[in-house]
Amino acid sequence: MLNRRNFLTAAVGVAAAGGLAACAKEDKGSSGTSSGGSKAITLGFSQVGSESGWRSANTTSVKEAAKEAGFNLKFSDAQQKQENQISAIRSYIAQKVDVIAFSPVVVTGWDAVLKEAKAAKIPVVLTDRSVETSDDSLYVTLVGSDFTDEGRRAGKMLEKVLAKAGVKGPVKIAQLEGTTGAAPAIERAKGFKEVMDAEHKDDWKIVVSQTGDFTRAGGKQVMAAFLQSNPDINVLFAHNDDMAIGAIQSIEAAGKKPGKDILIVSIDGVKDGFIAMSEGKINAIVECNPLLGPQLMEVVKTVHDGGSVERWIKTKEGDFMQDQAKAALPTRKY
């Protein structure tokens, strides 16, 4: 039987630096009416937090797209705590919103609250990150990126970076992981390791790996510890730009040159990451586009109206196959 997981890919075009740098402001919700004078769709959205430049840009995209669509958005910031997110989802259920969307802090631990949403006949759409559930019908679809492929691309990028730098022989890699248990941390590490195991068993080695929690402060602190325990590191793979930027501070404090003494590959493509790359301090960045808002609103409207949504089903072999699915739950119309 297929291990079914819904997946709607994000756009892969490079986002404007201004959009990537945008900062989120607290929003207690807005109301409006949809075209034709019918009552606006009420969307309850729970965001992971504001841990990075990517997340701030993602929040701004969601808020702006909801306003443009004329939705009544109820927004909450989980501050990177699963218990806060579960509480927010339960609040949305109690408020009888039309659709719930959230970007999960971690992969597991959602079955109970998702079953409550299903019992209340409120469809759930995942954004950015995936979950693991006992029943895939507990959510309708996922609007996000393929993190495993991002990890693979980071591995292939590193091959080019090493070749350009003329590095030959064994490579000692430090890995700055994202939040423990989060889908991007798990899947980016998996994709990178796939490239290592398939093509670089003899010359690449991850000598140290630890979470920096996707934050700049975390990247700085953990990289300082890495350099103490493994001063001969010559490559850093960071699961996001903010951790890489924090790590650069520790590399420079240790008297080393980021981008030269320690080659750096990261993922995201935020403004500060591009600045560091233009300065030669980051060697390569794999893009992960945060501007998911417009796609999310299209999916929310389709789900609310009981229509079909594009989905990607993940097979037990780890590949994705395309399919179409009706909204898994009954929806209300005005």
Short mmCIF file of all heavy atoms in Angstrom, two decimals, residues 107-132:
data_model
loop_
_atom_site.label_atom_id
_atom_site.label_comp_id
_atom_site.label_asym_id
_atom_site.label_seq_id
_atom_site.Cartn_x
_atom_site.Cartn_y
_atom_site.Cartn_z
N VAL A 107 6.97 17.16 13.08
CA VAL A 107 6.27 16.21 12.21
C VAL A 107 5.18 15.43 12.94
O VAL A 107 4.09 15.21 12.41
CB VAL A 107 7.28 15.24 11.57
CG1 VAL A 107 6.57 14.10 10.85
CG2 VAL A 107 8.20 15.98 10.60
N THR A 108 5.45 14.99 14.15
CA THR A 108 4.55 14.09 14.86
C THR A 108 3.74 14.79 15.95
O THR A 108 4.03 15.92 16.34
CB THR A 108 5.35 12.94 15.49
OG1 THR A 108 6.31 13.49 16.41
CG2 THR A 108 6.07 12.11 14.44
N GLY A 109 2.71 14.07 16.44
CA GLY A 109 1.94 14.55 17.59
C GLY A 109 0.69 15.33 17.24
O GLY A 109 0.17 16.07 18.09
N TRP A 110 0.15 15.13 16.02
CA TRP A 110 -0.98 15.93 15.57
C TRP A 110 -2.29 15.16 15.48
O TRP A 110 -3.35 15.77 15.26
CB TRP A 110 -0.66 16.55 14.20
CG TRP A 110 0.57 17.37 14.21
CD1 TRP A 110 1.80 17.03 13.72
CD2 TRP A 110 0.71 18.69 14.76
NE1 TRP A 110 2.70 18.05 13.93
CE2 TRP A 110 2.06 19.08 14.56
CE3 TRP A 110 -0.16 19.57 15.40
CZ2 TRP A 110 2.55 20.31 14.98
CZ3 TRP A 110 0.33 20.80 15.82
CH2 TRP A 110 1.67 21.16 15.61
N ASP A 111 -2.27 13.87 15.62
CA ASP A 111 -3.46 13.06 15.36
C ASP A 111 -4.68 13.51 16.17
O ASP A 111 -5.78 13.65 15.62
CB ASP A 111 -3.18 11.58 15.65
CG ASP A 111 -2.51 10.89 14.47
OD1 ASP A 111 -1.73 11.57 13.76
OD2 ASP A 111 -2.74 9.69 14.26
N ALA A 112 -4.50 13.74 17.45
CA ALA A 112 -5.65 14.07 18.31
C ALA A 112 -6.35 15.34 17.85
O ALA A 112 -7.57 15.36 17.68
CB ALA A 112 -5.20 14.19 19.76
N VAL A 113 -5.60 16.41 17.65
CA VAL A 113 -6.23 17.68 17.29
C VAL A 113 -6.79 17.64 15.86
O VAL A 113 -7.82 18.24 15.57
CB VAL A 113 -5.25 18.86 17.49
CG1 VAL A 113 -4.16 18.89 16.43
CG2 VAL A 113 -6.02 20.19 17.52
N LEU A 114 -6.13 16.91 14.97
CA LEU A 114 -6.63 16.79 13.61
C LEU A 114 -7.94 15.98 13.58
O LEU A 114 -8.83 16.26 12.77
CB LEU A 114 -5.58 16.17 12.69
CG LEU A 114 -4.35 17.03 12.41
CD1 LEU A 114 -3.37 16.30 11.49
CD2 LEU A 114 -4.74 18.38 11.80
N LYS A 115 -8.04 14.99 14.45
CA LYS A 115 -9.30 14.23 14.55
C LYS A 115 -10.42 15.13 15.07
O LYS A 115 -11.58 14.99 14.66
CB LYS A 115 -9.10 13.02 15.47
CG LYS A 115 -8.29 11.90 14.84
CD LYS A 115 -8.06 10.75 15.80
CE LYS A 115 -7.22 9.65 15.15
NZ LYS A 115 -6.91 8.55 16.09
N GLU A 116 -10.08 16.07 15.96
CA GLU A 116 -11.09 17.01 16.46
C GLU A 116 -11.58 17.92 15.32
O GLU A 116 -12.77 18.21 15.23
CB GLU A 116 -10.49 17.86 17.59
CG GLU A 116 -10.20 17.07 18.86
CD GLU A 116 -9.40 17.86 19.87
OE1 GLU A 116 -9.49 19.11 19.87
OE2 GLU A 116 -8.67 17.24 20.69
N ALA A 117 -10.66 18.35 14.46
CA ALA A 117 -11.04 19.18 13.32
C ALA A 117 -11.91 18.40 12.36
O ALA A 117 -12.92 18.92 11.84
CB ALA A 117 -9.79 19.70 12.61
N LYS A 118 -11.56 17.15 12.12
CA LYS A 118 -12.36 16.31 11.22
C LYS A 118 -13.76 16.09 11.78
O LYS A 118 -14.75 16.15 11.04
CB LYS A 118 -11.66 14.98 10.98
CG LYS A 118 -12.37 14.09 9.98
CD LYS A 118 -11.57 12.84 9.66
CE LYS A 118 -12.28 12.00 8.60
NZ LYS A 118 -11.50 10.79 8.23
N ALA A 119 -13.85 15.84 13.08
CA ALA A 119 -15.16 15.65 13.72
C ALA A 119 -16.02 16.90 13.60
O ALA A 119 -17.25 16.82 13.50
CB ALA A 119 -14.97 15.27 15.19
N ALA A 120 -15.36 18.06 13.60
CA ALA A 120 -16.08 19.33 13.45
C ALA A 120 -16.34 19.68 11.99
O ALA A 120 -16.92 20.73 11.69
CB ALA A 120 -15.29 20.45 14.12
N LYS A 121 -15.91 18.81 11.09
CA LYS A 121 -16.09 18.99 9.64
C LYS A 121 -15.41 20.27 9.14
O LYS A 121 -15.92 20.97 8.27
CB LYS A 121 -17.57 18.98 9.27
CG LYS A 121 -18.26 17.66 9.58
CD LYS A 121 -19.71 17.67 9.13
CE LYS A 121 -20.36 16.31 9.45
NZ LYS A 121 -21.78 16.27 9.00
N ILE A 122 -14.21 20.53 9.68
CA ILE A 122 -13.40 21.66 9.23
C ILE A 122 -12.18 21.11 8.52
O ILE A 122 -11.34 20.43 9.13
CB ILE A 122 -12.96 22.55 10.41
CG1 ILE A 122 -14.19 23.10 11.15
CG2 ILE A 122 -12.08 23.70 9.91
CD1 ILE A 122 -13.85 23.88 12.41
N PRO A 123 -12.04 21.36 7.21
CA PRO A 123 -10.88 20.84 6.49
C PRO A 123 -9.59 21.53 6.91
O PRO A 123 -9.58 22.71 7.26
CB PRO A 123 -11.21 21.13 5.02
CG PRO A 123 -12.26 22.17 5.04
CD PRO A 123 -12.97 22.08 6.34
N VAL A 124 -8.51 20.77 6.87
CA VAL A 124 -7.19 21.26 7.28
C VAL A 124 -6.23 21.20 6.10
O VAL A 124 -6.12 20.17 5.42
CB VAL A 124 -6.63 20.43 8.45
CG1 VAL A 124 -5.20 20.87 8.79
CG2 VAL A 124 -7.53 20.55 9.68
N VAL A 125 -5.53 22.29 5.87
CA VAL A 125 -4.51 22.37 4.83
C VAL A 125 -3.16 22.63 5.50
O VAL A 125 -3.05 23.55 6.32
CB VAL A 125 -4.82 23.50 3.82
CG1 VAL A 125 -3.71 23.62 2.79
CG2 VAL A 125 -6.16 23.25 3.14
N LEU A 126 -2.17 21.83 5.18
CA LEU A 126 -0.82 22.04 5.70
C LEU A 126 -0.08 23.02 4.79
O LEU A 126 -0.26 23.00 3.57
CB LEU A 126 -0.04 20.73 5.75
CG LEU A 126 -0.67 19.58 6.54
CD1 LEU A 126 0.24 18.36 6.49
CD2 LEU A 126 -0.94 19.97 7.98
N THR A 127 0.74 23.87 5.38
CA THR A 127 1.57 24.77 4.59
C THR A 127 3.03 24.62 4.99
O THR A 127 3.35 24.44 6.17
CB THR A 127 1.15 26.24 4.79
OG1 THR A 127 1.52 26.68 6.10
CG2 THR A 127 -0.33 26.42 4.61
N ASP A 128 3.90 24.68 4.02
CA ASP A 128 5.35 24.64 4.18
C ASP A 128 5.85 23.28 4.65
O ASP A 128 6.70 22.67 4.01
CB ASP A 128 5.81 25.74 5.15
CG ASP A 128 7.31 25.70 5.42
OD1 ASP A 128 8.07 25.37 4.49
OD2 ASP A 128 7.73 25.98 6.55
N ARG A 129 5.32 22.75 5.76
CA ARG A 129 5.86 21.53 6.35
C ARG A 129 4.84 20.40 6.40
O ARG A 129 3.64 20.65 6.53
CB ARG A 129 6.35 21.82 7.78
CG ARG A 129 7.44 22.87 7.86
CD ARG A 129 7.82 23.15 9.31
NE ARG A 129 8.93 24.07 9.43
CZ ARG A 129 9.53 24.36 10.58
NH1 ARG A 129 9.10 23.79 11.70
NH2 ARG A 129 10.53 25.21 10.62
N SER A 130 5.34 19.18 6.35
CA SER A 130 4.47 18.00 6.38
C SER A 130 4.33 17.46 7.80
O SER A 130 5.02 17.88 8.73
CB SER A 130 5.06 16.90 5.48
OG SER A 130 6.34 16.51 5.95
N VAL A 131 3.40 16.52 7.96
CA VAL A 131 3.22 15.81 9.23
C VAL A 131 3.15 14.31 8.95
O VAL A 131 2.96 13.88 7.82
CB VAL A 131 1.91 16.24 9.96
CG1 VAL A 131 1.95 17.72 10.29
CG2 VAL A 131 0.68 15.89 9.14
N GLU A 132 3.30 13.53 10.01
CA GLU A 132 3.09 12.09 9.93
C GLU A 132 1.86 11.76 10.78
O GLU A 132 1.84 12.08 11.97
CB GLU A 132 4.31 11.33 10.45
CG GLU A 132 5.54 11.49 9.56
CD GLU A 132 6.77 10.77 10.11
OE1 GLU A 132 6.64 10.13 11.18
OE2 GLU A 132 7.84 10.88 9.49
#
